[in-house]
Amino acid sequence: MDAGGDTVAPAPGDVEDLEATRFSREDAGDGGGVPKGPPDLRDGGLQETASQGKEQSPGVLPSLPQAEAPSGTCELWSPTAPASGTAGQAGDPSDEDWRSQRKHVFVLSEAGKPIYSRYGSVEALSATMGVMTALVSFVHSAGDAIRAIYAEDHKLVFLQQGPLLLVAVSRTPQSAAQLRGELLAVHAQIVSTLTRASVARIFAHKQNYDLRRLLAGSERTLDRLLDSVERDPGVLLLGAVRCVPLARPLREALGALLRRCTAPGLALSVLAVGGRLITAAQERTVLTECRLDPADLQLLLDWVGAPAFAAGEAWAPVCLPRFNPDGFFYAYVARLDAMPVCLLLLGTDREAFHAMAACRRMVENGMRTLGATHDLAAIAGLSNAPSASAPAYSVRAVGAPGLRHFLYKPLDIPDHHRQLPQFTSPELEAPYSREEEQYRLSDLYHCLHARLHSTSRPLRLIYHVAEKETLLAWVTSKFELYTCLSPLVTKAGAILVVTKLLRWVKKEEDRLFIRCPPKYSTPPAASVDQAPHNGVFTGL
Amino acid sequence: MKKPDVKIVLLGDMNVGKTSLLHRYMERRFQDTVSTVGGAFYLKQWRSYNISIWDTAGREQFHGLGSMYCRGAAAIILTYDVNHLQSLLELEDRFLGLTDTASTDCLFAIVGNKVDLSEDQEKDEVSSEQASSSCVSTKVPKQVKLEDAVALYKKILKYKMLDEKDVPAAEKMCFETSAKTGYNVDHLFETLFDMVVPVILRQRAEGPPQTVDISDYKQPKQAKSGCCA
């Protein structure tokens, strides 16, 4: 293992240097390429890591990561090295485009095998991922766990989940906690397709298994998830789902309809349009035993919005990581009457496809009797962009000049409805129609959120004058609110706008939110012992 | 809602073009599809019969559902990519076992898709020459020959312990298609539909279909409730 020791040995000091090299290339005066001393010198260094680990002999390293081609690491990361002749290839760490991305997210196995990278090809990144494994293993060998590295304007956040290691490398102003939340969402997405149990089983059985074989095709879902965080931050930031604005009587009628249409083993029925919730009905046994986590519901909403469900009636296993990370539900997904309105029926019986299909026809017939088809088509067709057929409203509806955008999450929902945290926000309109502007707004919201919820010094109210807009964030026992106002607004003017907004939300709350989520009055034929554990998907 | 008379299942490794084939046949066009999740169910009216078609996900992740799709199937379309030998081998290794739950007189078709990507498709010879002269041709020699598919077909018969005399000839059941150009796609589906029609008639004559023996007795009841609703 001496040879291995030689190649990896420089890691404790040198990886840090390379780290700095990589991140501070633009700031030439920073002494980028010059080897620095201990890692925790200026940039905050390793947080909560045992720095005495440096004193340990490098001999402990070789046994740790099975980093693929560890010797190549240094060359690839050194800016002067000619990076194996294929410089500029997408995903090559020396590629300028790749390096300039705002936020990278990587998933790798404990053995250092790449599983997912947001940008570039995972093949080209195996050396980079080897370094990540080395960092984690090194700190781990000192009996500690690496959580984050702060380097210049970059944050590196590490999250270990079972045999999977998730890493975010970000230069967005998001806090480490927010990035960690994002990594958890990525992990939940992986678990939802494979279950935690089977991931653990696979790696227990074969440590160097290439998980990409099983996740093939799911990368796009992860991409979409990460993109949505940067452009439309409400969902993950507030831990809530977004509802389609709908007149209360219609929503209640639809809820009652879902409640009526049951099938054996049906646990949850959801009506959604473009990733937003119309209404959902939960079977009572599920409800009383465990409240459906909004993260799980959001996962389902994202999932059914995938283009894979655009045609036909689909039947697929899906796991709800918060509810039970080790078992599968079986999901029936279909568009209703060729509308973008999507019906999701979640059951525990693997063979129940035809029962669910029958249930869908009941829902369709019921909707026709209600005359809801027309209204729903109108909602679904509100925004004509076919890509994001997301029904929404304009901020102008509030009638508060100067208000550009807001996120509002009510916290005064009666306790027995707490299982469905919701939020509302208008469409992003000019000046936030371009991607960069959306990123900027999202970053600002993230900053405000991080300060409101700071663990050391939480705040209740922030008035923040930024370069191109003024923001006001406010959290009370009744709501959590983020507003974006025009840059010229005065403090008094801002208060006026917010008061107007709150009044508007109060007036519209029956339309904006599901005030009383429907439940099944009687549990369907399936008994409790037909719990989702029975649905554990053993096909792997 | 119409009650399906017969079931056809598309099986094959991921990325061989199952969804594209079906899409080409049903919608008459080719479009980039995304990786299928689980399985998708389609109903096709053929003459006076309703034929249900299951488009399955080729990803290993959804392998556990395969036997459910195949239960009682009257025909199974095993799809491979003519440019990837592995996809043909996978059919034998991974997918043949799933067909155990199919109807005993299940028909098998073996389909090599994506012939538009390989250069020895006769009718394209001229155009591919042009392509190679103008730029670097992306076309490669076909990796899997029709004979390989025929050999697999015979192997399947052996596996199913069927006599070659009782089933359609291998030459009739091995197809090469292109979902992109539409080459042979209609021929594939329509040949198969014509072949399953006698199966429907036989099943009707025999009363409750044989598939009930294999699947649980609830199935016809569920189907009925669907039709009344």
Side-chain angles (χ1 to χ4, degrees):
Chain A
M1 280 320 248
D2 264 343
D6 282 338
T7 47
V8 191
D14 281 16
V15 168
E16 278 305 316
D17 307 336
L18 291 163
E19 208 69 91
T21 315
R22 181 168 166 233
F23 292 134
S24 55
R25 272 182 54 189
E26 290 93 302
D27 322 79
D30 201 51
V34 185
K36 282 195 287 177
D40 44 347
L41 268 186
R42 283 174 300 164
D43 305 327
L46 302 177
Q47 185 195 41
E48 294 177 47
T49 60
S51 53
Q52 73 272 18
K54 281 184 59 62
E55 267 98 73
Q56 291 189 344
S57 101
V60 293
L61 269 172
S63 63
L64 296 170
Q66 288 135 338
E68 289 162 43
S71 53
T73 309
C74 304
E75 286 162 38
L76 279 174
W77 275 24
S78 148
T80 48
S84 66
T86 51
Q89 174 207 343
D92 195 307
S94 65
D95 177 34
E96 206 47 54
D97 277 351
W98 186 85
R99 299 171 78 100
S100 61
Q101 298 293 349
R102 279 159 48 91
K103 180 161 58 192
H104 285 279
V105 174
F106 309 100
V107 182
L108 47 153
S109 76
E110 241 174 351
K113 263 224 159 58
I115 294 167
Y116 169 79
S117 165
R118 187 177 179 196
Y119 302 105
S121 73
V122 280
E123 283 85 4
L125 294 170
S126 50
T128 315
M129 294 201 178
V131 174
M132 295 178 202
T133 325
L135 285 168
V136 170
S137 307
F138 180 69
V139 177
H140 185 75
S141 70
D144 208 337
I146 187 165
R147 290 165 60 91
I149 298 175
Y150 298 86
E152 294 285 323
D153 54 343
H154 278 77
K155 283 188 195 81
L156 288 82
V157 175
F158 296 81
L159 180 73
Q160 177 99 40
Q161 291 284 304
L164 298 183
L165 173 65
L166 298 97
V167 184
V169 178
S170 160
R171 54 182 178 83
T172 63
Q174 280 173 295
S175 70
Q178 285 165 349
L179 289 169
R180 199 163 288 122
E182 232 170 279
L183 292 180
L184 279 170
V186 168
H187 182 251
Q189 185 73 56
I190 293 172
V191 166
S192 81
T193 53
L194 297 177
T195 74
R196 191 182 61 185
S198 63
V199 171
R201 194 171 54 237
I202 287 164
F203 283 109
H205 180 65
K206 202 177 165 206
Q207 243 205 332
N208 61 350
Y209 187 84
D210 188 353
L211 201 63
R212 279 180 300 159
R213 276 160 55 91
L214 286 177
L215 282 176
S218 307
E219 299 93 344
R220 295 256 194 96
T221 324
L222 293 175
D223 290 344
R224 284 194 307 140
L225 170 77
L226 292 167
D227 287 345
S228 75
V229 176
E230 283 192 274
R231 302 177 61 172
D232 188 15
V235 171
L236 212 55
L237 207 55
L238 300 173
V241 297
R242 196 193 314 237
C243 300
V244 176
L246 198 63
R248 183 170 176 168
L250 179 57
R251 189 171 344 243
E252 277 176 2
L254 289 172
L257 176 65
L258 287 188
R259 212 155 55 229
R260 257 199 328 272
C261 303
T262 66
L266 182 67
L268 176 74
S269 11
V270 176
L271 271 178
V273 180
R276 297 172 191 206
L277 185 67
I278 295 175
T279 188
Q282 219 172 335
E283 195 242 301
R284 181 186 271 170
T285 50
V286 181
L287 191 77
T288 48
E289 278 168 22
C290 177
R291 288 170 170 172
L292 184 68
D293 193 283
D296 281 344
L297 185 55
Q298 185 59 43
L299 201 131
L300 289 173
L301 290 174
D302 287 343
W303 190 63
V304 299
F309 295 113
E313 301 163 54
W315 181 246
V318 64
C319 163
L320 300 184
R322 299 291 177 92
F323 178 75
N324 174 8
D326 300 326
F328 273 119
F329 279 103
Y330 290 89
Y332 173 90
V333 185
R335 303 283 153 117
L336 292 182
D337 283 334
M339 282 190 293
V341 176
C342 183
L343 175 70
L344 166 78
L345 299 169
L346 212 59
T348 50
D349 182 2
R350 174 154 112 170
E351 311 280 327
F353 173 82
H354 292 286
M356 297 294 187
C359 185
R360 181 202 65 157
R361 292 192 285 276
M362 275 158 72
V363 173
E364 270 179 347
N365 291 338
M367 280 180 131
R368 258 176 242 129
T369 338
L370 279 176
T373 326
H374 180 74
D375 291 330
L376 286 178
I379 291 164
L382 207 67
S383 67
N384 283 328
S387 55
S389 55
Y393 55 94
S394 161
V395 71
R396 284 191 296 274
V398 181
L403 183 65
R404 288 179 172 183
H405 192 255
F406 65 90
L407 306 172
Y408 179 94
K409 178 189 180 188
L411 298 174
D412 61 338
I413 320 172
D415 186 53
H416 57 287
H417 292 136
R418 191 63 63 78
Q419 79 276 8
L420 201 61
Q422 304 155 47
F423 80 101
T424 190
S425 78
E427 274 306 85
L428 280 166
E429 289 168 276
Y432 301 106
S433 30
R434 287 200 358 258
E435 204 172 55
E436 307 89 88
E437 313 290 320
Q438 291 176 357
Y439 284 171
R440 197 183 69 240
L441 181 63
S442 169
D443 285 351
L444 286 165
Y445 280 150
H446 275 99
C447 279
L448 292 176
H449 178 269
R451 295 196 58 189
L452 281 183
H453 297 275
S454 147
T455 43
S456 50
R457 204 162 65 96
L459 298 170
R460 303 194 67 90
L461 183 69
I462 301 175
Y463 180 76
H464 176 70
V465 182
E467 199 183 335
K468 293 182 178 165
E469 52 270 290
T470 299
L471 294 107
L472 192 145
W474 191 8
V475 63
T476 72
S477 61
K478 293 199 166 142
F479 60 82
E480 183 169 343
L481 173 70
Y482 299 85
T483 53
C484 172
L485 308 152
S486 91
L488 300 173
V489 77
T490 59
K491 226 175 252 181
I495 299 292
L496 209 67
V497 166
V498 169
T499 316
K500 213 168 199 175
L501 171 62
L502 290 175
R503 215 174 287 142
W504 180 80
V505 170
K506 192 82 206 149
K507 198 176 87 210
E508 297 281 321
E509 65 182 0
D510 279 348
R511 207 171 64 82
L512 295 174
F513 304 111
I514 303 176
R515 298 296 286 175
C516 312
K519 294 165 225 166
Y520 286 128
S521 42
T522 50
S527 55
V528 187
D529 52 64
Q530 212 182 356
H533 310 277
N534 276 3
V536 171
F537 183 41
T538 49
L540 294 170
Chain B
M1 189 77 173
K2 297 148 284 183
K3 179 177 179 286
D5 294 307
V6 75
K7 175 154 137 186
I8 294 181
V9 183
L10 275 157
L11 287 183
D13 201 10
M14 63 179 178
N15 270 328
V16 299
K18 299 174 290 299
T19 305
S20 296
L21 270 180
L22 192 56
H23 194 85
R24 163 60 82 176
Y25 181 69
M26 305 282 278
E27 317 255 327
R28 324 299 309 161
R29 63 200 166 96
F30 177 80
Q31 78 181 55
D32 280 335
T33 58
V34 286
S35 185
T36 308
V37 178
F41 178 84
Y42 296 84
L43 213 56
K44 167 79 185 173
Q45 181 99 28
W46 176 251
R47 312 231 175 99
S48 57
Y49 309 104
N50 295 312
I51 296 178
S52 67
I53 306 174
W54 272 105
D55 172 28
T56 65
R59 288 144 67 183
E60 215 173 318
Q61 178 194 327
F62 297 110
H63 206 57
L65 285 174
S67 56
M68 176 222 155
Y69 300 133
C70 293
R71 180 155 305 149
I76 291 176
I77 304 176
L78 293 163
T79 318
Y80 66 93
D81 176 348
V82 292
N83 309 298
H84 277 107
L85 182 60
Q86 189 57 34
S87 65
L88 184 78
L89 302 180
E90 290 282 326
L91 289 181
E92 196 184 340
D93 292 349
R94 210 145 63 82
F95 293 96
L96 197 52
L98 294 180
T99 64
D100 291 350
T101 54
S103 162
T104 42
D105 51 359
C106 178
L107 296 163
F108 287 89
I110 303 184
V111 178
N113 193 28
K114 304 199 189 179
V115 286
D116 55 287
L117 293 180
S118 57
E119 58 188 7
D120 51 355
Q121 184 191 339
E122 316 93 281
K123 62 172 202 155
D124 255 10
E125 247 165 46
V126 185
S127 63
S128 76
E129 253 168 48
Q130 284 166 351
S132 58
S133 61
S134 59
C135 61
V136 183
S137 173
T138 55
K139 299 199 172 188
V140 288
K142 201 158 64 177
Q143 266 202 16
V144 189
K145 296 207 178 65
L146 197 56
E147 294 88 79
D148 302 329
V150 170
L152 175 65
Y153 186 76
K154 291 186 173 150
K155 235 185 248 175
I156 292 174
L157 297 187
K158 231 176 249 166
Y159 174 83
K160 296 275 167 195
M161 290 183 286
L162 291 169
D163 198 327
E164 277 190 49
K165 292 195 292 287
D166 302 337
V167 294
E171 288 68 28
K172 269 174 75 184
M173 298 309 279
C174 294
F175 301 82
E176 290 200 330
T177 60
S178 163
K180 190 164 188 177
T181 63
Y183 170 72
N184 235 359
V185 174
D186 288 1
H187 175 65
L188 157 72
F189 281 101
E190 280 158 17
T191 310
L192 219 52
F193 291 168
D194 282 338
M195 283 179 171
V196 295
V197 166
V199 177
I200 300 173
L201 296 174
R202 200 180 327 139
Q203 282 179 353
R204 282 186 181 169
E206 283 172 13
Q210 297 169 326
T211 54
V212 174
D213 302 339
I214 309 165
S215 64
D216 61 321
Y217 63 93
K218 271 190 303 190
Q219 204 149 351
K221 202 178 77 193
Q222 287 170 350
K224 212 186 284 167
S225 73
C227 133
C228 298

